[in-house]
Amino acid sequence: MRGTVASLAAAALAARGVSAGRMIDGRLAARAADNTTYDYIVIGSGPGGGPLACDLARAGYTTLLLEAGDDQGDNPIYSELGNFNIAGNDPDSRWDFWVRHSDDDAREKAFAHYTWRTANGSFYVGTTPPAGATPLGIQYPRAGTLGGCAMHNGGVCSLAQDSDWDIVVNMTGDTSWEASKMRQYLVKVEKNTYLPANTTGHGFDGWLSTAVQPARWAHDSSLPATRVLKKLAELTGQNASDVASLVNKDILGIEPHKDTRNSFYNMAQHEDKGGKRSSPNNYIKATLKDPRNFPLTVRLHSLATRVLFDTDTKNKANASVPVATGVEVMSGASLYGADPRHASATKTAPRSRFWARREVIVSGGAFNSPQILKLSGIGPAAELAKFKIPVVKDLPGVGERLADNYEGSLLALGQQPVGGGVITLMFKTPNAAGPDRNIFTWCGAFSFEGFWPGFPTDYGPNEYECAMVHIGPHSQAGTVRLASADPQVPPDINFNFFLNNGTEDLQHLADAANLLRTAWQAAGAPVLPFAEKHPCPGTGAGNCTDAAERALLKTQAYSHHASSSCAIGAASDPLAVLDSKFRVRGVQGLRVVDASAFPRVPGAFPVLPTIMLSAKAAEDIIADAKKAVHKK
């Protein structure tokens, strides 16, 4: 039936002179489709918007997908998942957001990888800049390319905690968000490559490939890494004699008490068996190439500047309700100021307008979605007035409650390599309140200390690290504020790390580091002693206090999982931006579908939960469209 609907829609498009399934490079066809009307316009092709646009087109609705970047899908830097650090540094897709972690300038500039622009235009990274250098901030790279940040990330797939889904039920009363119901969207999107077909709770026919790496090394008890693994099992209440099987546990599996049990896992990633990245880029390309001619149009190099509204529409109570009717777009390469190739001359790029007969969906991510809403007149009235932006709807919560996982690491150099492979562990620290685990860690012979131009530092074959992600941080006080009414100027972003309950969260990270450090001592000779670089520099197993660890983690914590800046919330919440169906409150025909919609950060890694959220949004939007047809 779906194919029949799509074919009919494609025929209707052809009759109007509009082709189905095409990709337009904005540089070459800047005004080729100006004033065209689509059923839906989706702004942003990342894990939220890309799959959503495909699902809408596959359901037979004419859909325009706007992407400000280009297509790097065939570039091995992106298509080979193992190149993710190179991809994160690549100026062909990199958008440099320079963020703050607090309002304290001294604390900001104590960040070891604080970045400056020198007088000759190059970057300086560190705490003692040369004379004449201009402070930029802490780098937070995003990906301006078809597929969004799923094209430069490490591909780690983990699920949200059940409470992250259930919080929407508790806020809004919408039971479709219950955790038990949300798994259907994993089944829908997943193409599992590492389990027997038809394993309960997994999908095998979706568009997103998931794979794991073999962990045969854990059978070798002579390896220092295996000794560390066994000690970690002991410290977290697992069977040390069974670690070889425990490390192959399915991290996406169905199990009782999945959010409360300390457990090793085999890290899943969105890639195929050959290590090729699987992302929205692949799904978009497959939709465009499908012989069923789904009515999807993709415009690259197309920077959405604002959503257009009809402000004369009346609701049933005869009150005016703004209705989103289209999008204004600038066409050209490197238009956005965060692009390192951006030049001021691009301000003269041509502008086009496209129209939506049904809805506009904003999927720009946690930084750009609130920016687009505000530029369109949706946001805090006082902030809009500051930039002389006419208020369409006063929504104080737009750009507020920005959240993120805290990330840190225990990094040291051994006397010899530790060997082995990656250890993936989720556990609860001793002083954490509530039943759920609060730390996701992965340990191995690598180095990762956050983001800066040229990251990471390679310390050689003896490096060993346990990277840590703090799940469920207590502080959610970040902000995304306009810096200008110019859509090419990135917003001001302040995460306000540790502003609320900061000591508690920092102690969780310190407790995790202490447990991991204790396990490391099991590596034995000839690896020991470890020369720890951070958070406790030196060679002793306990050579610094918790207070010293907390102080260092406070200045050196980093992040890469921004969410919640346009969050779903209760109707009674003045800072709620969306209802449970992703609709922007107080207007019609406008939704936000990306990680900014989550009321809090979903688990440890948001990419898979965001893809699941996108699949749910598609279902909700299509259901609403069918209801509207039925009413007519």
Side-chain angles (χ1 to χ4, degrees), residues 118-133:
T118 67
N120 67 9
S122 64
F123 290 127
Y124 168 81
V125 178
T127 57
T128 55

Side-chain angles (χ1 to χ4, degrees), residues 105-137:
D105 280 341
R107 174 178 152 191
E108 296 301 287
K109 292 173 183 176
F111 186 68
H113 301 111
Y114 193 88
T115 304
W116 310 69
R117 181 78 71 184
T118 67
N120 67 9
S122 64
F123 290 127
Y124 168 81
V125 178
T127 57
T128 55
T134 302
L136 292 174

